[in-house]
Amino acid sequence: MNKAFKIVSLFVMVVAMAFLSSCTKSKEDQIIGKWKCVSFIVYDGDETHDLTEFNQYIIELRLDGSYYVGDQQMGTYTLEDSKLTMKDEEGDCVVYTITELTDKKLVIRSIGSIDEEGYEPNEEGYYEICVFEKI
């Protein structure tokens, strides 16, 4: 009886672990959806600019790698580890680091851009932090 109980307990534990690990969403799954900008701050050396009041926009990140602002497609994005690269229709790319990502919150920080010459990091002391809430 004791041996059978141990085997059943082990089986239940393995099934529970498999179930719990399958419920964990990847960053790729979490980032898909509509996000409302609730904070947009630009840091430029010693100056800080709060642009939140002007940028209460909604961005939609779609499974196909496109992103929309409102109903208009603005470009494409890629996600690699914690780096989010957004390329607009003119070919301009901005690279962000995802500093926080949950089912309801996304925080990104600009770290640079990509142009025809390659990756260019932000100037020292300059970065943007955008906070989004999922809607």
Side-chain angles (χ1 to χ4, degrees), residues 63-79:
L63 188 59
D64 67 359
S66 62
Y67 72 92
Y68 287 71
V69 175
D71 291 336
Q72 182 178 1
Q73 183 175 358
M74 301 301 289
T76 58
Y77 74 92
T78 57
L79 180 62

Side-chain angles (χ1 to χ4, degrees), residues 53-120:
E53 65 187 67
F54 299 108
N55 291 301
Q56 294 291 317
Y57 61 90
I58 294 173
I59 187 169
E60 181 181 3
L61 301 170
R62 295 190 176 177
L63 188 59
D64 67 359
S66 62
Y67 72 92
Y68 287 71
V69 175
D71 291 336
Q72 182 178 1
Q73 183 175 358
M74 301 301 289
T76 58
Y77 74 92
T78 57
L79 180 62
E80 185 176 322
D81 296 323
S82 291
K83 285 190 181 176
L84 174 66
T85 303
M86 301 184 80
K87 182 177 182 179
D88 67 19
E89 292 179 330
E90 285 83 40
D92 297 325
C93 291
V94 180
V95 181
Y96 298 93
T97 294
I98 296 174
T99 60
E100 183 178 349
L101 178 59
T102 67
D103 288 338
K104 298 181 186 233
K105 186 176 183 183
L106 169 64
V107 181
I108 57 176
R109 177 183 171 154
S110 66
I111 58 171
S113 59
I114 300 173
D115 60 18
E116 61 276 348
E117 296 176 12
Y119 176 74
E120 181 72 31

